[in-house]
Amino acid sequence: MNEFQLIEYFFKPILSKRPDVAIGIGDDAASVKIASGMELLVSTDTLVSGVHFFRDEDAFHVAFKAVMVNISDIAAMGGVPCWLTLSLTLPEINEHWLCRFKEGLAQALETFNLALIGGDTTRGPLSVSITILGQVPLGKAIRRDGAKPGDAIYVSGELGGAAQALRFLMDKTPLSQDEKVLMQKLQVPTPRVDLRMMLQQYATAAIDISDGLSSDLSHICQASHVGALLQASLVPIHPLVKKYQGTKALDFALNGGDDYELCFTVKAADRSLFQQELIEQGFCCFFVGCIDDKKTIRIKKEEGRIVPLTAAGYNHFSMPL
Ligand code: ADP
Ligand code: MG
């Protein structure tokens, strides 16, 4: 099988049902129709074998997760993901691996009504790079630099679960049924596109939590030239993290990566309306602290002490390979 047969066999059949794809896979470039009154969001994320996933990871999960982490970036901008291109680097043509990859990709596209519109296929160390395109109403993209002193800080779900799942995998812990469910958080995460209307209406800044709350909130603070004070008692920690990590549970929730929840800020004056609407729409977000005019992020411990919070999430260039 050569590169062209591979594209023909594995990627062309993942046809899209989206009528806004004018030219899909098979030409020199794809062409899509952006709806009127909308602007285009573009983001790229790469997963590298041995760095972002285990070398023997099921290719279904590799493909599914590669799409989810990209969707998460569009979700953090308050947008709706629409189209994507896939740049695949393969060490060899392994048909079993490619079949699983195709299944994972097809399921991800189906779940979020996305169209694969092109890509590139090369030989080399295994990596999966996706560029995703999304749409947001003109001027409504939620940026990192909009947080103001006094804004309330929210996270969209429990944290630390994916880091705990990774720990289970590394320690080869035998898992009970509910612990197996936790593996889903790591292998098939759910990006929070469902919150986009709420974010468009209320968020002053937003980011997705891919590297851990401490790191990702620090990006909002740096971009917005503000600081933050978090309340340790309000940080939502996944129950299995509490069970397994004991006194280290808060650390896991603050610094564990891969949760793909959102962190966002809301004006103090909008808080009660926002919370009321969350309940009406069946969402559960957690208030964790406030933006202030200091230059650092601090956390108030349960016993009342306030300590600096250093961004200790994952950083590719600070770890030995
Ligand atoms: P070119 O040489 O013009 O760059 P290619 O031979 O790389 O074209 O690709 C042929 C067509 O197949 C293009 O439309 C490209 O977008 C698509 N394609 C290539 N690799 C992939 C892939 N991994 N996934 C989806 N589409 C792909
Ligand atoms: Mg090409």
Side-chain angles (χ1 to χ4, degrees):
M1 195 180 262
N2 63 31
E3 178 197 331
F4 303 106
Q5 289 165 327
L6 188 145
I7 295 166
E8 200 64 32
Y9 185 75
F10 286 102
F11 298 114
K12 256 218 170 135
I14 308 184
L15 276 181
S16 123
K17 294 177 206 99
R18 292 187 66 105
D20 53 10
V21 177
I23 305 172
I25 294 176
D27 219 310
D28 290 312
S31 162
V32 293
K33 297 172 196 156
I34 301 167
S36 73
M38 304 295 269
E39 62 191 42
L40 192 63
L41 297 167
V42 185
S43 176
T44 300
D45 248 317
T46 301
L47 301 191
V48 178
S49 174
V51 177
H52 300 92
F53 58 90
F54 291 105
R55 288 176 216 281
D56 59 355
E57 178 76 62
D58 181 351
F60 182 100
H61 293 146
V62 174
F64 195 89
K65 185 160 174 176
V67 178
M68 295 307 127
V69 304
N70 275 277
I71 293 177
S72 184
D73 285 318
I74 299 295
M77 303 297 290
V80 54
C82 303
W83 314 286
L84 55 88
T85 63
L86 166 67
S87 180
L88 195 54
T89 305
L90 300 168
E92 65 194 340
I93 294 187
N94 172 336
E95 291 192 14
H96 171 70
W97 193 93
L98 278 162
C99 279
R100 287 297 288 161
F101 188 86
K102 180 183 172 184
E103 284 165 19
L105 184 61
Q107 181 159 325
L109 300 185
E110 165 99 40
T111 308
F112 285 90
N113 185 30
L114 286 168
L116 177 68
I117 56 169
D120 197 24
T121 309
T122 51
R123 185 163 187 180
L126 180 59
S127 83
V128 181
S129 186
I130 287 178
T131 294
I132 194 158
L133 306 165
Q135 298 181 84
V136 67
L138 280 170
K140 289 282 184 188
I142 301 143
R143 309 158 55 115
R144 294 179 181 186
D145 62 4
K148 296 264 182 328
D151 286 0
I153 306 167
Y154 286 87
V155 296
S156 62
E158 288 166 339
L159 302 177
Q164 181 60 46
L166 183 64
R167 186 53 61 89
F168 283 156
L169 271 183
M170 304 221 285
D171 296 347
K172 298 195 164 47
T173 315
L175 301 181
S176 68
Q177 207 48 46
D178 60 333
E179 288 159 355
K180 280 188 188 147
V181 172
L182 189 69
M183 298 313 295
Q184 304 253 324
K185 281 215 158 271
L186 185 66
Q187 291 167 334
V188 285
T190 308
R192 302 303 307 271
V193 251
D194 55 342
L195 283 169
R196 71 176 179 279
M197 302 309 277
M198 293 292 281
L199 293 185
Q200 280 176 25
Q201 197 177 347
Y202 290 103
T204 54
I207 191 166
D208 67 323
I209 308 179
S210 52
D211 299 329
L213 178 62
S214 65
S215 279
D216 292 317
L217 176 60
S218 78
H219 297 316
I220 287 189
C221 287
Q222 272 167 14
S224 302
H225 307 291
V226 294
L229 177 61
L230 293 181
Q231 306 286 335
S233 60
L234 299 180
V235 174
I237 306 173
H238 194 285
L240 287 175
V241 176
K242 283 189 193 151
K243 175 174 164 190
Y244 279 89
Q245 298 303 327
T247 54
K248 284 188 293 173
L250 181 64
D251 262 9
F252 254 65
L254 292 171
N255 303 320
D258 261 6
D259 281 315
Y260 299 102
E261 292 293 344
L262 300 175
C263 171
F264 55 93
T265 52
V266 172
K267 274 195 197 111
D270 289 345
R271 252 184 85 184
S272 57
L273 208 56
F274 172 68
Q275 305 227 138
Q276 194 182 321
E277 215 165 303
L278 280 178
I279 294 167
E280 279 166 19
Q281 297 200 23
F283 290 122
C284 182
C285 292
F286 300 87
F287 168 72
V288 292
C290 287
I291 297 291
D292 57 29
D293 59 5
K294 310 248 172 18
K295 291 283 166 268
T296 57
I297 303 180
R298 286 136 287 118
I299 184 159
K300 188 169 184 187
K301 295 294 182 93
E302 311 250 352
E303 74 276 10
R305 222 161 24 103
I306 294 178
V307 296
L309 181 67
T310 37
Y314 191 74
N315 177 332
H316 284 273
F317 294 98
S318 68
M319 302 265 187
L321 269 180

